[in-house]
């Protein structure tokens, strides 16, 4: 592979019954929350637009740093063969970068219900971009890679578009998870069953949808105070030996472990492993991913930095960086320039991917691509879908 990334919905929660609404509306992109109505607000002047658009810089920082890791890891894939150290780093990043994105997606989906305004937002910011970019990536492979038989299939996501269809499914099922008494154990049980069910097939990438589901459900259960605990100094210090130990373990196991366990796109049987290993690895990978995600979140700065504003544009970085990676692959650059697999080449590849995805997250790109990532489809919806 991620994503990168970029997602997508929210309305104010009644303050008397549930925790305050998070400031962001989605994981890869976000819009400003509407001011909550209440007795204290009666007779008061409406808040200034700038205040209404205030965002929490911590989550923008999380999204930007995570999308950089997604792009860099994707860039490593064609050049990491022969380098055990790079493969180990790749395994560590892949263990937590998508779980982190998915957990944050769940956190900002806590108030989702099937009301018309939120369904409209889900369609315009998730479903429509999925259709557009699934088509674009399929056509790109057909012509750039000279693959005339490459078909456009909206039920078989290509490359990184799987995250959009997964997010759509997770978001639609949010009311179910919010209703259950013990949603996380149920989600883990579903993920374990998926890992031993080879008949699920490739439609809508359901293996990934189901095997990554626990991270989304965990995000639904998160509260602001949980993130405050994660960001404590003690957690940051503990994360240092955690990552050091993870790196040593990954280096040791790099040549022994199939990368398919990280992708979660296949069952155990499809990877020629015993059926029971799917359930065991699901639990083991969940624990490892959660620990590394906490370590990552602990070191994300909470204050505004030079890259904070780029966190609002990670949907563009996620969807666009794949064209760069695949374009270089289709052009044979990685085969032609074998020095890219050397240590210096890996640094060049990493910096190029990081700089490219950073530029793709800039507001200029976001405005230019808004027609595809957040299209205005008022003509397609009934007037009452605006919540009036």
């Amino acid at each position: 592979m991620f994503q990168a990334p970029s997602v997508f919905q929210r309305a104010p929660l009644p303050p008397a019954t549930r925790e305050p609404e998070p400031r962001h509306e989605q994981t890869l992109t976000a819009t400003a929350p509407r001011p909550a109505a209440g007795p204290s607000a009666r007779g008061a002047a409406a808040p200034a637009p700038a205040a209404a658009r205030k965002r929490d810089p911590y989550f923008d920082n999380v999204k930007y740093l995570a999308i950089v890791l997604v792009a860099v890891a994707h860039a490593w894939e064609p050049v990491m063969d022969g380098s055990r150290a790079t493969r180990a780093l790749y395994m560590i990043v892949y263990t937590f970068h998508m779980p982190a994105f998915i957990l944050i997606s769940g956190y900002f989906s806590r108030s989702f219900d099937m009301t018309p305004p939120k369904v409209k937002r889900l369609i315009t910011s998730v479903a429509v971009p999925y259709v557009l970019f699934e088509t674009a990536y399929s056509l790109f492979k057909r012509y750039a890679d000279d693959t005339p038989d490459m078909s456009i299939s909206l039920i078989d996501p290509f490359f990184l578009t799987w995250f959009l269809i997964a997010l759509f499914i997770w978001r639609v099922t949010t009311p179910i998870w919010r209703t259950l008494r013990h949603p996380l154990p149920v989600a883990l049980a579903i993920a374990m069953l998926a890992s031993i069910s080879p008949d699920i097939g490739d439609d809508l990438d359901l293996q990934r949808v189901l095997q990554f589901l626990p991270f989304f459900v965990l995000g639904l259960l998160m509260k602001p105070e949980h993130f405050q605990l994660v960001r404590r100094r003690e957690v940051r210090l503990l994360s240092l030996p955690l990552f050091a130990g993870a790196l040593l373990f990954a280096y040791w196991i790099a040549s022994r472990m199939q990368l398919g366990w990280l992708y979660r796109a296949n069952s155990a049987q499809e990877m020629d492993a015993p059926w029971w290993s799917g359930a065991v690895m699901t639990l083991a990978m969940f624990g490892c991913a959660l620990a590394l995600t906490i370590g990552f979140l602990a070191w994300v700065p909470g204050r505004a930095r030079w890259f904070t504003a780029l966190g609002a544009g990670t949907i563009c970085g996620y969807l666009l960086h794949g064209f760069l990676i695949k374009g270089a692959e289709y052009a044979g650059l990685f085969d032609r320039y074998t020095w890219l697999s050397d240590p210096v080449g890996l640094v060049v590849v990493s910096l190029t991917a990081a700089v490219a995805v950073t530029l793709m997250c800039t507001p200029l790109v976001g405005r230019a691509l808004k027609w595809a990532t957040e299209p205005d489809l008022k003509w397609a919806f009934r007037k009452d879908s605006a919540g009036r």
Side-chain angles (χ1 to χ4, degrees), residues 211-231:
Q211 291 193 43
F212 276 117
L213 174 64
F215 298 102
F216 183 82
V217 174
L218 179 60
L220 292 174
L221 302 176
M222 296 284 286
K223 297 180 180 180
E225 51 264 34
H226 294 142
F227 288 97
Q228 294 173 4
L229 289 174
V230 164
R231 295 161 60 188

Side-chain angles (χ1 to χ4, degrees), residues 13 50 70 82 115 133 185 252 274 292 304 310 349:
L13 296 175
V70 169
T115 56
F133 281 90
W252 173 75
L292 293 180
L310 301 176
V349 168

Side-chain angles (χ1 to χ4, degrees), residues 80-364:
M80 68 181 180
D81 288 343
S83 174
R84 189 173 181 179
T86 305
R87 186 181 175 93
L89 287 171
Y90 176 87
M91 292 173 66
I92 290 178
V93 171
Y94 249 84
T95 298
F96 75 87
H97 74 346
M98 284 312 300
F101 255 131
I102 296 166
L103 185 146
I104 298 298
S105 298
Y107 178 68
F108 290 112
S109 298
R110 293 178 300 160
S111 66
F112 179 83
D113 52 33
M114 296 301 288
T115 56
K118 294 180 181 179
V119 171
K120 173 186 174 183
R121 180 68 174 162
L122 181 63
I123 292 173
T124 57
S125 60
V126 184
V128 172
Y130 169 72
V131 172
L132 293 177
F133 281 90
E134 173 65 21
T135 302
Y137 272 104
S138 298
L139 293 176
F140 185 61
K141 179 172 177 60
R142 179 187 298 179
Y143 296 108
D145 195 31
D146 192 20
T147 311
D149 59 343
M150 179 65 186
S151 61
I152 299 174
S153 174
L154 297 182
I155 63 171
D156 187 10
F158 178 71
F159 195 34
L160 50 72
T161 58
W162 72 268
F163 181 69
L164 292 177
I165 196 62
L167 186 63
F168 184 90
I169 296 172
W170 295 327
R171 185 66 61 82
V172 167
T173 61
T174 291
I176 297 175
W177 303 112
R178 297 287 290 173
T179 302
L180 293 178
R181 186 183 297 273
H182 303 293
L184 185 58
V186 173
L188 280 169
I190 291 174
M192 293 167 65
L193 289 172
S195 70
I196 60 174
S197 303
D199 294 333
I200 288 180
D202 297 328
D203 290 353
L204 300 181
D205 231 340
L206 282 179
Q207 278 288 358
R208 276 178 168 155
V209 173
L210 299 177
Q211 291 193 43
F212 276 117
L213 174 64
F215 298 102
F216 183 82
V217 174
L218 179 60
L220 292 174
L221 302 176
M222 296 284 286
K223 297 180 180 180
E225 51 264 34
H226 294 142
F227 288 97
Q228 294 173 4
L229 289 174
V230 164
R231 295 161 60 188
R232 294 180 62 178
R233 183 173 181 270
E234 298 85 357
V235 179
R236 288 198 298 271
L237 294 177
L238 288 173
S239 69
L240 296 177
L242 170 68
F243 275 102
L247 181 58
L248 291 174
F249 180 75
Y251 187 82
W252 173 75
I253 205 173
S255 60
R256 299 174 173 86
M257 178 178 168
Q258 293 189 59
L259 295 179
W261 294 114
L262 301 173
Y263 303 147
R264 296 174 173 85
N266 296 290
S267 64
Q269 296 93 319
E270 290 173 296
M271 292 187 288
D272 298 322
W275 69 268
W276 53 265
S277 64
V280 173
M281 287 297 291
T282 296
L283 291 177
M285 292 301 298
F286 178 78
C288 292
L290 182 58
L292 293 180
T293 296
I294 291 174
F296 166 70
L297 294 176
W299 281 97
V300 173
R303 296 182 179 180
R305 297 291 189 269
W306 66 266
F307 53 81
T308 300
L310 301 176
T314 48
I315 180 64
C316 296
Y318 180 79
L319 292 173
L320 291 179
H321 84 272
F323 289 108
L324 175 66
I325 304 298
K326 288 296 183 182
E329 184 180 331
Y330 298 156
L333 295 183
F334 299 113
D335 295 328
R336 189 177 308 126
Y337 301 105
T338 56
W339 62 271
L340 292 174
S341 298
D342 299 334
V344 174
L346 290 170
V347 172
V348 171
V349 168
S350 302
L351 290 177
T352 301
V355 171
V357 77
T358 297
L359 294 175
M360 292 170 185
C361 293
T362 56
L364 179 62

